[in-house]
Amino acid sequence: MLSNQYRQLRAALQPGLANPADPVYLVRDKMHAIHPTAIPDDAQVNELVNSPVYAVSVQTPQLRDDDSAVMMVHGGAFVSTTVEHYVPYAAALSRFFQRPVVVYAYRLAPEHPFPAALDDSLAVYQFLLERFAPHKLAVIGDSCGGGIGLSMLCELKDRKLPLPAAYAGLTPWLDLTMSGKAAVQDTGDDPFVCTEWIRARGLDYAADTPTDHPRVSPLFADLRDLPPLYFASGSQDITRDDSRRAAALASEAGTSVVLDIAPGMIHGYHGLSALAPECAAGCQRIADFLNAHLE
C-alpha cells in the first residue's frame, strides 16, 4: 500500500520532462531546475584538496565513521548537473549511511564523450585509495552514474587494481541500447525519463563508440569477480530491466548480488527521500547493505 505522501507526489509529477528532441542546453536547463542546490544548514561540505577532479566530501551530524567513505557517481543523463546539484542529495544519503559521501564533477558529454566520465571516476577512486583502505570504500551511482560506477568496477578489475567493499546502483542505467522489455514497451508513465530520451543521451555520451560496448553499457560486461552488488530500482522505473538482467548475470557469474525492485517506485526515487516514506525506506535498505560491507 503506497503512502498518501507518495500518491500525492506521483500526482504532481507529470510526464514530459524528457523530450528526446531537446537540444543539450535545454536538457541541462530542465535537469538543473529539478535538482535543488540549497545546502542543508547542518551539512558539512569540504573540498578534497589535490583531487584530480573537483570533488567534495559531504557529511552530516549523523556521522559515526569517518575512516570510511562512499564515492557517489552523480546522475544527470551524462550531459548535465554537477557537484552543486548533488550536494543536497549526498547530504541526504550521508544521514542514512552515517559516513561521508564524496561527490565529484566528472566531465560531461557531448563536449567530453566516453571515456571521459569513466576516466575521471577512475582518477577520483584512485585518489580516495590514498586516504582510505579499499575495504573502507563503497561506490554508488545514481541513474547514469550507476552505469559509470559499475563500468569503473569492471575496469578496476581488469587493471588488477583494488576493488571497493561494495557497489550500489540507484535506478541505474546499465543498457543504453534500452533493449529491456520495460523500455521497449514504454508506457510513458515515468515522469523523469523515457526510452528515446535515454537513447539520445546515450548517443551524446557514447559518440563514436557503440552503445552496447561493455564500458558504455555495463550490462554487457563481465560481472565476475566483483565486490557485492546492489541494484535498486522501482516497478515503474523504465530502466528496471537493466537491474533485473544485471542481477541475473552477476548471480550466474558467482558475484554476490541483491536485487531490490520497490513496488510503485519511479526512476530516481531515492532522491525523493524527504518527500515520501517509501523513498526514505529505499535509501535505508541501501545503507544497511553498504554498512554491512564497510563495517
Coordinates of all heavy atoms in Angstrom, one line a residue, residues 79-174:
V79 N 25.0 14.4 -19.4 CA 25.2 15.7 -20.0 C 25.0 16.9 -19.1 O 25.2 18.0 -19.5 CB 24.3 15.9 -21.3 CG1 24.5 14.7 -22.3 CG2 22.9 16.0 -20.9
S80 N 24.5 16.6 -17.9 CA 24.1 17.7 -17.1 C 24.3 17.4 -15.6 O 24.7 16.3 -15.2 CB 22.6 18.0 -17.3 OG 21.8 17.0 -16.7
T81 N 24.1 18.5 -14.8 CA 24.3 18.5 -13.3 C 25.8 18.4 -13.0 O 26.6 17.8 -13.7 CB 23.5 17.5 -12.6 OG1 24.0 16.2 -12.7 CG2 22.0 17.6 -13.0
T82 N 26.1 18.9 -11.8 CA 27.5 18.7 -11.3 C 27.4 18.7 -9.8 O 26.4 18.4 -9.2 CB 28.4 19.9 -11.8 OG1 29.7 19.6 -11.5 CG2 27.9 21.2 -11.4
V83 N 28.5 19.0 -9.1 CA 28.6 18.9 -7.7 C 27.5 19.7 -6.9 O 26.8 19.2 -6.0 CB 30.0 19.3 -7.2 CG1 30.0 19.4 -5.7 CG2 31.0 18.3 -7.6
E84 N 27.3 20.9 -7.3 CA 26.3 21.8 -6.6 C 24.9 21.2 -6.6 O 24.2 21.4 -5.7 CB 26.3 23.2 -7.2 CG 25.7 23.3 -8.6 CD 25.5 24.7 -9.1 OE1 25.3 25.6 -8.2 OE2 25.6 25.0 -10.3
H85 N 24.6 20.5 -7.7 CA 23.3 19.9 -7.8 C 23.1 18.6 -7.0 O 22.0 18.1 -6.8 CB 22.9 19.6 -9.2 CG 22.9 20.8 -10.1 ND1 24.0 21.1 -10.9 CD2 22.1 21.8 -10.3 CE1 23.8 22.2 -11.6 NE2 22.6 22.6 -11.2
Y86 N 24.3 18.0 -6.6 CA 24.2 16.7 -5.9 C 24.7 16.8 -4.4 O 24.6 15.8 -3.7 CB 25.0 15.7 -6.7 CG 24.1 14.9 -7.6 CD1 23.7 15.5 -8.8 CD2 23.6 13.7 -7.3 CE1 22.9 14.9 -9.7 CE2 22.7 13.1 -8.1 CZ 22.3 13.7 -9.3 OH 21.4 13.0 -10.2
V87 N 25.2 18.0 -4.0 CA 25.5 18.1 -2.5 C 24.3 17.8 -1.7 O 24.3 17.1 -0.7 CB 26.1 19.4 -2.2 CG1 26.1 19.7 -0.7 CG2 27.6 19.5 -2.7
P88 N 23.1 18.4 -2.0 CA 21.9 18.1 -1.1 C 21.6 16.6 -1.1 O 21.2 16.1 -0.1 CB 20.8 18.9 -1.7 CG 21.5 20.0 -2.4 CD 22.7 19.4 -3.0
Y89 N 21.7 15.9 -2.3 CA 21.4 14.5 -2.3 C 22.4 13.7 -1.5 O 22.1 12.8 -0.8 CB 21.4 14.1 -3.8 CG 20.8 12.8 -4.2 CD1 20.7 12.4 -5.5 CD2 20.4 11.8 -3.2 CE1 20.1 11.2 -5.9 CE2 19.9 10.6 -3.5 CZ 19.7 10.3 -4.9 OH 19.2 9.1 -5.2
A90 N 23.7 14.1 -1.7 CA 24.8 13.5 -0.9 C 24.6 13.6 0.6 O 24.8 12.7 1.4 CB 26.1 14.0 -1.4
A91 N 24.1 14.8 1.0 CA 23.8 15.1 2.4 C 22.7 14.2 2.9 O 22.8 13.6 4.0 CB 23.5 16.5 2.6
A92 N 21.7 14.0 2.1 CA 20.6 13.1 2.5 C 21.0 11.7 2.6 O 20.7 11.0 3.6 CB 19.4 13.2 1.5
L93 N 21.9 11.3 1.7 CA 22.4 9.9 1.8 C 23.3 9.7 2.9 O 23.4 8.7 3.6 CB 23.0 9.5 0.5 CG 22.1 9.3 -0.7 CD1 22.9 9.1 -2.0 CD2 21.1 8.2 -0.5
S94 N 24.1 10.8 3.2 CA 25.0 10.7 4.3 C 24.3 10.5 5.7 O 24.8 9.8 6.6 CB 25.9 11.9 4.4 OG 26.8 11.9 5.5
R95 N 23.1 11.0 5.8 CA 22.3 10.8 7.0 C 22.0 9.3 7.2 O 22.0 8.7 8.3 CB 21.0 11.6 7.0 CG 21.2 13.1 6.9 CD 19.9 13.8 7.0 NE 20.1 15.2 6.5 CZ 20.6 16.2 7.3 NH1 21.0 15.9 8.5 NH2 20.7 17.4 6.8
F96 N 21.7 8.6 6.0 CA 21.4 7.2 6.1 C 22.6 6.4 6.3 O 22.7 5.5 7.1 CB 20.7 6.8 4.8 CG 19.3 7.3 4.6 CD1 19.0 8.4 3.8 CD2 18.2 6.7 5.3 CE1 17.7 8.9 3.7 CE2 16.9 7.2 5.1 CZ 16.7 8.3 4.3
F97 N 23.7 6.7 5.6 CA 24.9 5.9 5.6 C 25.7 6.2 6.9 O 26.5 5.3 7.3 CB 25.8 6.3 4.4 CG 25.2 6.0 3.1 CD1 25.7 6.7 1.9 CD2 24.1 5.2 2.9 CE1 25.1 6.5 0.7 CE2 23.5 5.0 1.7 CZ 24.0 5.6 0.5
Q98 N 25.5 7.4 7.5 CA 26.3 7.8 8.6 C 27.8 7.8 8.4 O 28.6 7.5 9.2 CB 26.0 6.9 9.9 CG 24.5 7.0 10.2 CD 24.1 6.2 11.4 OE1 24.7 5.1 11.7 NE2 23.1 6.6 12.2
R99 N 28.1 8.2 7.1 CA 29.5 8.2 6.6 C 29.6 9.4 5.7 O 28.6 9.8 5.1 CB 29.9 6.9 5.9 CG 29.7 5.7 6.7 CD 29.9 4.4 5.9 NE 29.5 3.2 6.6 CZ 30.2 2.6 7.5 NH1 31.4 3.0 7.8 NH2 29.7 1.6 8.2
P100 N 30.8 9.8 5.4 CA 31.0 10.9 4.4 C 30.6 10.3 3.0 O 30.9 9.2 2.7 CB 32.5 11.2 4.4 CG 33.0 10.7 5.7 CD 32.1 9.5 6.0
V101 N 30.0 11.2 2.2 CA 29.7 10.9 0.8 C 30.5 11.8 -0.1 O 30.4 13.0 0.1 CB 28.2 11.0 0.5 CG1 27.9 10.8 -1.0 CG2 27.4 10.0 1.3
V102 N 31.3 11.3 -1.0 CA 32.1 12.1 -1.9 C 31.5 12.2 -3.2 O 31.1 11.2 -3.8 CB 33.5 11.4 -2.1 CG1 34.3 12.2 -3.1 CG2 34.3 11.4 -0.7
V103 N 31.2 13.4 -3.7 CA 30.6 13.6 -5.0 C 31.6 14.5 -5.8 O 32.3 15.4 -5.2 CB 29.2 14.3 -4.9 CG1 29.3 15.6 -4.2 CG2 28.6 14.4 -6.2
Y104 N 31.7 14.3 -7.1 CA 32.7 15.0 -7.9 C 32.2 15.3 -9.3 O 31.2 14.8 -9.7 CB 34.0 14.0 -8.0 CG 33.7 12.7 -8.7 CD1 33.9 12.5 -10.0 CD2 33.1 11.7 -8.0 CE1 33.6 11.3 -10.6 CE2 32.8 10.5 -8.6 CZ 33.0 10.3 -9.9 OH 32.7 9.1 -10.5
A105 N 32.9 16.2 -9.9 CA 32.5 16.8 -11.2 C 33.2 16.1 -12.4 O 34.2 16.7 -12.9 CB 32.7 18.3 -11.2
Y106 N 32.7 15.0 -12.8 CA 33.3 14.4 -14.0 C 32.9 15.2 -15.2 O 31.9 15.9 -15.2 CB 32.9 12.9 -14.1 CG 31.4 12.6 -14.2 CD1 30.7 12.9 -15.4 CD2 30.7 12.1 -13.1 CE1 29.3 12.6 -15.5 CE2 29.3 11.9 -13.2 CZ 28.6 12.1 -14.4 OH 27.3 11.8 -14.5
R107 N 33.7 15.1 -16.2 CA 33.4 15.9 -17.5 C 32.2 15.3 -18.1 O 31.9 14.1 -18.1 CB 34.6 15.7 -18.4 CG 35.9 16.5 -18.0 CD 37.1 16.2 -18.8 NE 37.5 14.8 -18.5 CZ 38.4 14.2 -19.2 NH1 39.0 14.7 -20.3 NH2 38.8 12.9 -18.8
L108 N 31.4 16.3 -18.7 CA 30.1 16.0 -19.3 C 30.2 15.8 -20.8 O 30.9 16.5 -21.5 CB 29.1 17.1 -18.9 CG 28.9 17.3 -17.4 CD1 27.9 18.5 -17.2 CD2 28.3 16.0 -16.7
A109 N 29.3 14.9 -21.3 CA 29.1 14.8 -22.7 C 28.1 15.9 -23.1 O 27.4 16.5 -22.3 CB 28.5 13.4 -23.0
P110 N 28.0 16.2 -24.4 CA 28.7 15.7 -25.5 C 30.1 16.3 -25.8 O 30.8 15.8 -26.6 CB 27.8 16.0 -26.7 CG 27.1 17.2 -26.3 CD 26.9 17.1 -24.8
E111 N 30.4 17.4 -25.0 CA 31.7 18.0 -25.2 C 32.8 17.1 -24.8 O 33.9 17.1 -25.5 CB 31.8 19.3 -24.3 CG 30.8 20.4 -24.7 CD 29.5 20.3 -24.0 OE1 29.2 19.2 -23.4 OE2 28.7 21.2 -24.1
H112 N 32.6 16.2 -23.9 CA 33.6 15.3 -23.4 C 32.9 13.9 -23.4 O 32.4 13.4 -22.4 CB 34.1 15.6 -22.0 CG 34.7 17.0 -21.9 ND1 35.9 17.3 -22.4 CD2 34.1 18.2 -21.5 CE1 36.2 18.6 -22.2 NE2 35.1 19.1 -21.6
P113 N 32.9 13.2 -24.5 CA 32.2 11.9 -24.6 C 33.0 10.8 -23.9 O 34.1 11.0 -23.4 CB 32.1 11.7 -26.1 CG 33.2 12.4 -26.7 CD 33.4 13.6 -25.8
F114 N 32.4 9.6 -23.9 CA 33.1 8.4 -23.4 C 34.5 8.3 -24.0 O 34.7 8.6 -25.2 CB 32.3 7.2 -23.8 CG 33.0 5.9 -23.5 CD1 33.0 5.3 -22.2 CD2 33.7 5.2 -24.5 CE1 33.6 4.1 -22.0 CE2 34.3 4.0 -24.3 CZ 34.3 3.5 -23.0
P115 N 35.5 8.0 -23.2 CA 35.5 7.6 -21.8 C 35.8 8.6 -20.8 O 36.3 8.3 -19.7 CB 36.6 6.5 -21.8 CG 37.7 7.1 -22.7 CD 36.9 7.8 -23.8
A116 N 35.5 9.9 -21.0 CA 35.9 11.0 -20.1 C 35.4 10.8 -18.7 O 36.1 10.9 -17.7 CB 35.5 12.3 -20.7
A117 N 34.1 10.5 -18.6 CA 33.5 10.4 -17.3 C 34.0 9.2 -16.6 O 34.3 9.2 -15.3 CB 31.9 10.2 -17.4
L118 N 34.3 8.1 -17.3 CA 34.9 6.9 -16.7 C 36.3 7.2 -16.3 O 36.7 6.8 -15.1 CB 34.8 5.7 -17.7 CG 35.5 4.4 -17.3 CD1 34.9 3.9 -16.0 CD2 35.4 3.4 -18.4
D119 N 37.1 7.8 -17.1 CA 38.5 8.2 -16.7 C 38.5 9.0 -15.5 O 39.3 8.8 -14.6 CB 39.2 8.9 -17.9 CG 39.5 7.9 -19.0 OD1 39.4 6.7 -18.8 OD2 39.8 8.4 -20.1
D120 N 37.6 10.0 -15.4 CA 37.6 10.9 -14.2 C 37.2 10.1 -13.0 O 37.7 10.4 -11.9 CB 36.6 12.1 -14.5 CG 37.1 13.1 -15.5 OD1 38.3 13.0 -15.9 OD2 36.3 13.9 -15.9
S121 N 36.3 9.2 -13.1 CA 35.9 8.4 -12.0 C 37.0 7.5 -11.5 O 37.2 7.4 -10.3 CB 34.7 7.5 -12.4 OG 33.6 8.3 -12.8
L122 N 37.7 6.9 -12.4 CA 38.9 6.1 -12.0 C 39.9 7.0 -11.3 O 40.5 6.5 -10.3 CB 39.5 5.5 -13.2 CG 38.7 4.3 -13.9 CD1 39.2 4.1 -15.3 CD2 38.9 3.1 -13.0
A123 N 40.1 8.2 -11.7 CA 41.1 9.1 -11.1 C 40.7 9.4 -9.7 O 41.5 9.4 -8.8 CB 41.3 10.3 -12.0
V124 N 39.4 9.7 -9.5 CA 38.9 10.1 -8.2 C 39.0 8.9 -7.2 O 39.4 9.0 -6.1 CB 37.5 10.6 -8.2 CG1 36.9 10.7 -6.8 CG2 37.4 11.9 -8.9
Y125 N 38.6 7.7 -7.7 CA 38.7 6.5 -6.9 C 40.1 6.2 -6.5 O 40.4 5.9 -5.3 CB 38.1 5.3 -7.7 CG 38.2 4.0 -6.9 CD1 37.3 3.7 -5.9 CD2 39.3 3.1 -7.2 CE1 37.4 2.5 -5.2 CE2 39.4 1.9 -6.4 CZ 38.4 1.6 -5.5 OH 38.5 0.5 -4.8
Q126 N 41.1 6.3 -7.4 CA 42.5 6.1 -7.0 C 43.0 7.1 -6.0 O 43.8 6.8 -5.2 CB 43.3 6.0 -8.3 CG 43.1 4.8 -9.1 CD 43.9 4.7 -10.4 OE1 43.5 5.3 -11.4 NE2 45.0 4.0 -10.4
F127 N 42.5 8.4 -6.2 CA 42.8 9.4 -5.2 C 42.3 9.0 -3.8 O 43.0 9.2 -2.8 CB 42.2 10.8 -5.6 CG 42.3 11.8 -4.6 CD1 43.5 12.5 -4.4 CD2 41.2 12.2 -3.9 CE1 43.6 13.5 -3.4 CE2 41.3 13.2 -3.0 CZ 42.5 13.9 -2.7
L128 N 41.1 8.5 -3.8 CA 40.5 8.1 -2.5 C 41.2 6.9 -1.9 O 41.3 6.8 -0.6 CB 39.0 7.8 -2.7 CG 38.1 9.0 -3.0 CD1 36.7 8.5 -3.2 CD2 38.1 10.0 -1.9
L129 N 41.8 6.1 -2.7 CA 42.6 5.0 -2.2 C 43.8 5.5 -1.4 O 44.4 4.7 -0.6 CB 43.1 4.1 -3.3 CG 42.0 3.1 -3.9 CD1 42.6 2.3 -5.0 CD2 41.5 2.2 -2.8
E130 N 44.2 6.7 -1.6 CA 45.3 7.3 -0.8 C 44.9 7.7 0.6 O 45.7 7.8 1.5 CB 45.9 8.5 -1.6 CG 46.5 8.2 -2.9 CD 46.9 9.4 -3.7 OE1 46.8 10.5 -3.1 OE2 47.2 9.3 -4.9
R131 N 43.6 7.8 0.8 CA 43.0 8.2 2.0 C 42.3 7.1 2.8 O 42.2 7.1 4.0 CB 42.0 9.3 1.8 CG 42.6 10.6 1.3 CD 41.5 11.6 0.9 NE 42.1 13.0 0.8 CZ 41.7 14.0 1.4 NH1 40.7 14.0 2.3 NH2 42.3 15.2 1.2
F132 N 41.8 6.1 2.0 CA 41.0 5.0 2.6 C 41.5 3.7 2.1 O 41.8 3.6 0.9 CB 39.5 5.2 2.3 CG 38.9 6.5 2.7 CD1 38.8 7.5 1.8 CD2 38.5 6.7 4.0 CE1 38.2 8.7 2.2 CE2 37.9 7.9 4.4 CZ 37.8 8.9 3.5
A133 N 41.4 2.7 3.0 CA 41.7 1.3 2.5 C 40.5 0.9 1.6 O 39.4 1.3 1.8 CB 41.8 0.4 3.7
P134 N 40.8 0.1 0.6 CA 39.7 -0.3 -0.3 C 38.5 -1.0 0.4 O 37.4 -0.7 -0.1 CB 40.4 -1.3 -1.3 CG 41.7 -1.7 -0.7 CD 42.1 -0.6 0.2
H135 N 38.8 -1.7 1.5 CA 37.6 -2.3 2.2 C 36.8 -1.3 3.0 O 35.8 -1.6 3.6 CB 38.1 -3.5 3.0 CG 38.9 -3.1 4.2 ND1 40.2 -2.8 4.2 CD2 38.5 -2.9 5.5 CE1 40.7 -2.4 5.4 NE2 39.6 -2.5 6.2
K136 N 37.3 0.0 3.0 CA 36.6 1.0 3.7 C 36.0 2.0 2.7 O 35.6 3.1 3.0 CB 37.5 1.8 4.6 CG 37.9 1.0 5.9 CD 36.6 0.8 6.8 CE 37.0 0.2 8.1 NZ 35.8 0.2 9.0
L137 N 35.9 1.6 1.4 CA 35.3 2.4 0.4 C 34.1 1.7 -0.3 O 34.2 0.5 -0.5 CB 36.3 2.8 -0.7 CG 37.3 3.9 -0.5 CD1 38.3 4.0 -1.6 CD2 36.5 5.3 -0.4
A138 N 33.0 2.4 -0.5 CA 31.9 1.8 -1.3 C 31.7 2.8 -2.5 O 32.0 4.0 -2.4 CB 30.7 1.7 -0.5
V139 N 31.1 2.3 -3.5 CA 30.8 3.1 -4.7 C 29.3 3.0 -4.9 O 28.7 1.9 -5.0 CB 31.5 2.6 -5.9 CG1 31.1 3.3 -7.2 CG2 33.0 2.8 -5.8
I140 N 28.7 4.2 -5.1 CA 27.2 4.2 -5.5 C 27.1 5.1 -6.8 O 28.0 5.9 -7.0 CB 26.3 4.7 -4.4 CG1 26.6 6.2 -4.1 CG2 26.4 3.8 -3.2 CD1 25.6 6.8 -3.2
G141 N 26.1 4.8 -7.5 CA 25.8 5.6 -8.7 C 24.3 5.8 -8.9 O 23.6 4.9 -8.8
D142 N 24.0 7.1 -9.2 CA 22.6 7.4 -9.4 C 22.3 7.5 -10.9 O 23.0 8.2 -11.6 CB 22.3 8.8 -8.7 CG 21.0 9.4 -9.2 OD1 19.9 8.8 -9.0 OD2 21.0 10.5 -9.7
S143 N 21.3 6.8 -11.4 CA 20.9 6.8 -12.8 C 22.1 6.5 -13.7 O 22.7 5.5 -13.6 CB 20.3 8.2 -13.1 OG 19.6 8.2 -14.3
C144 N 22.5 7.5 -14.6 CA 23.6 7.2 -15.5 C 24.9 7.0 -14.7 O 25.8 6.2 -15.1 CB 23.8 8.4 -16.5 SG 24.4 9.9 -15.7
G145 N 25.0 7.6 -13.5 CA 26.1 7.4 -12.6 C 26.2 5.9 -12.1 O 27.3 5.4 -11.8
G146 N 25.1 5.2 -12.1 CA 25.1 3.8 -11.7 C 25.8 3.0 -12.8 O 26.6 2.1 -12.5
G147 N 25.6 3.4 -14.1 CA 26.4 2.7 -15.1 C 27.8 3.0 -15.2 O 28.7 2.1 -15.3
I148 N 28.2 4.3 -15.0 CA 29.6 4.7 -14.9 C 30.3 4.0 -13.8 O 31.4 3.5 -13.9 CB 29.7 6.2 -14.8 CG1 29.1 6.9 -16.0 CG2 31.1 6.6 -14.6 CD1 28.9 8.4 -15.8
G149 N 29.6 3.9 -12.6 CA 30.2 3.3 -11.4 C 30.5 1.8 -11.6 O 31.5 1.3 -11.3
L150 N 29.5 1.1 -12.3 CA 29.7 -0.3 -12.5 C 30.8 -0.5 -13.6 O 31.6 -1.5 -13.4 CB 28.4 -1.0 -12.9 CG 28.4 -2.5 -13.1 CD1 28.8 -3.2 -11.8 CD2 27.0 -3.0 -13.5
S151 N 30.8 0.3 -14.6 CA 31.9 0.2 -15.6 C 33.2 0.4 -14.9 O 34.2 -0.2 -15.3 CB 31.7 1.2 -16.7 OG 30.5 0.9 -17.5
M152 N 33.3 1.3 -14.0 CA 34.5 1.6 -13.3 C 35.0 0.3 -12.5 O 36.2 0.0 -12.5 CB 34.4 2.8 -12.3 CG 35.7 3.2 -11.6 SD 35.4 4.4 -10.3 CE 34.7 3.5 -9.0
L153 N 34.1 -0.3 -11.8 CA 34.5 -1.6 -11.1 C 35.1 -2.6 -12.1 O 36.1 -3.2 -11.8 CB 33.3 -2.2 -10.4 CG 33.1 -1.8 -8.9 CD1 33.0 -0.3 -8.7 CD2 31.9 -2.6 -8.3
C154 N 34.4 -2.7 -13.2 CA 34.9 -3.7 -14.2 C 36.3 -3.3 -14.7 O 37.2 -4.2 -14.9 CB 34.0 -3.8 -15.4 SG 32.3 -4.5 -15.0
E155 N 36.5 -2.0 -14.9 CA 37.8 -1.5 -15.4 C 38.9 -1.7 -14.3 O 40.0 -2.1 -14.6 CB 37.8 -0.1 -15.8 CG 39.0 0.5 -16.4 CD 39.3 -0.1 -17.8 OE1 38.3 -0.7 -18.4 OE2 40.4 0.0 -18.3
L156 N 38.5 -1.5 -13.0 CA 39.5 -1.7 -11.9 C 39.9 -3.2 -11.9 O 41.0 -3.5 -11.7 CB 38.8 -1.3 -10.6 CG 38.6 0.2 -10.3 CD1 37.7 0.4 -9.1 CD2 39.9 0.9 -10.2
K157 N 38.9 -4.0 -12.0 CA 39.2 -5.5 -12.0 C 40.1 -5.8 -13.2 O 41.1 -6.6 -12.9 CB 37.9 -6.3 -12.2 CG 38.0 -7.8 -12.2 CD 36.7 -8.5 -12.6 CE 36.3 -8.2 -14.0 NZ 35.1 -9.0 -14.4
D158 N 39.9 -5.3 -14.3 CA 40.7 -5.7 -15.5 C 42.2 -5.1 -15.3 O 43.1 -5.7 -15.8 CB 40.1 -5.1 -16.8 CG 38.9 -5.9 -17.2 OD1 38.6 -7.0 -16.6 OD2 38.3 -5.5 -18.2
R159 N 42.3 -4.0 -14.6 CA 43.6 -3.4 -14.4 C 44.3 -4.0 -13.1 O 45.4 -3.6 -12.8 CB 43.5 -1.9 -14.2 CG 43.0 -1.2 -15.5 CD 43.1 0.3 -15.3 NE 42.5 1.1 -16.3 CZ 42.5 2.4 -16.5 NH1 43.2 3.1 -15.6 NH2 41.9 3.0 -17.5
K160 N 43.6 -4.9 -12.5 CA 44.1 -5.6 -11.3 C 44.4 -4.5 -10.2 O 45.3 -4.6 -9.4 CB 45.3 -6.4 -11.6 CG 45.0 -7.5 -12.6 CD 46.2 -8.4 -12.7 CE 46.0 -9.6 -13.7 NZ 44.7 -9.9 -14.2
L161 N 43.5 -3.5 -10.1 CA 43.6 -2.5 -9.0 C 42.6 -2.9 -7.9 O 41.6 -3.7 -8.1 CB 43.2 -1.2 -9.6 CG 44.2 -0.6 -10.6 CD1 43.6 0.7 -11.2 CD2 45.5 -0.3 -9.9
P162 N 42.8 -2.4 -6.7 CA 42.0 -2.8 -5.5 C 40.5 -2.4 -5.8 O 40.2 -1.3 -6.2 CB 42.6 -2.0 -4.4 CG 44.0 -1.7 -4.8 CD 44.0 -1.5 -6.3
L163 N 39.6 -3.3 -5.4 CA 38.2 -3.1 -5.6 C 37.6 -2.6 -4.3 O 38.1 -2.9 -3.2 CB 37.5 -4.3 -6.0 CG 37.8 -4.8 -7.5 CD1 37.5 -6.3 -7.7 CD2 37.1 -3.9 -8.5
P164 N 36.5 -1.8 -4.4 CA 35.9 -1.3 -3.2 C 35.1 -2.5 -2.4 O 35.0 -3.6 -3.0 CB 34.9 -0.3 -3.7 CG 34.6 -0.7 -5.1 CD 35.8 -1.3 -5.6
A165 N 34.6 -2.1 -1.3 CA 33.9 -3.2 -0.5 C 32.6 -3.5 -1.1 O 32.1 -4.7 -0.9 CB 33.7 -2.6 0.9
A166 N 31.9 -2.6 -1.8 CA 30.6 -2.9 -2.3 C 30.2 -1.8 -3.3 O 30.8 -0.7 -3.3 CB 29.6 -2.9 -1.1
Y167 N 29.1 -2.1 -4.0 CA 28.6 -1.1 -5.0 C 27.1 -1.2 -4.9 O 26.5 -2.2 -4.7 CB 29.0 -1.6 -6.4 CG 28.1 -1.0 -7.5 CD1 28.4 0.1 -8.2 CD2 26.9 -1.7 -7.9 CE1 27.6 0.6 -9.2 CE2 26.1 -1.2 -8.9 CZ 26.4 -0.1 -9.6 OH 25.6 0.4 -10.6
A168 N 26.5 0.0 -5.1 CA 25.0 0.1 -5.2 C 24.6 1.0 -6.3 O 25.1 2.1 -6.5 CB 24.4 0.6 -3.9
G169 N 23.7 0.5 -7.2 CA 23.2 1.3 -8.3 C 21.8 1.8 -7.9 O 20.9 1.0 -7.6
L170 N 21.6 3.1 -7.9 CA 20.3 3.7 -7.6 C 19.5 4.0 -8.9 O 19.9 4.9 -9.6 CB 20.5 5.0 -6.8 CG 20.9 4.8 -5.3 CD1 22.3 4.1 -5.2 CD2 20.9 6.1 -4.6
T171 N 18.6 3.2 -9.2 CA 17.9 3.2 -10.5 C 18.9 3.4 -11.6 O 18.8 4.4 -12.4 CB 16.7 4.2 -10.6 OG1 17.2 5.6 -10.4 CG2 15.7 4.0 -9.5
P172 N 19.8 2.5 -11.7 CA 21.0 2.7 -12.7 C 20.6 2.4 -14.1 O 19.8 1.6 -14.5 CB 22.0 1.7 -12.2 CG 21.1 0.5 -11.7 CD 20.0 1.2 -11.0
W173 N 21.2 3.2 -15.0 CA 21.2 3.0 -16.5 C 22.4 2.1 -16.8 O 23.5 2.5 -16.7 CB 21.4 4.2 -17.3 CG 20.3 5.3 -17.1 CD1 19.3 5.3 -16.3 CD2 20.3 6.5 -17.9 NE1 18.6 6.5 -16.4 CE2 19.2 7.2 -17.4 CE3 21.1 7.1 -18.9 CZ2 18.9 8.5 -17.9 CZ3 20.8 8.3 -19.4 CH2 19.7 9.0 -18.9
L174 N 22.1 0.8 -17.1 CA 23.2 -0.1 -17.4 C 23.2 -0.6 -18.9 O 24.1 -1.3 -19.3 CB 23.0 -1.3 -16.5 CG 22.9 -1.0 -15.0 CD1 22.7 -2.3 -14.2 CD2 24.2 -0.3 -14.5

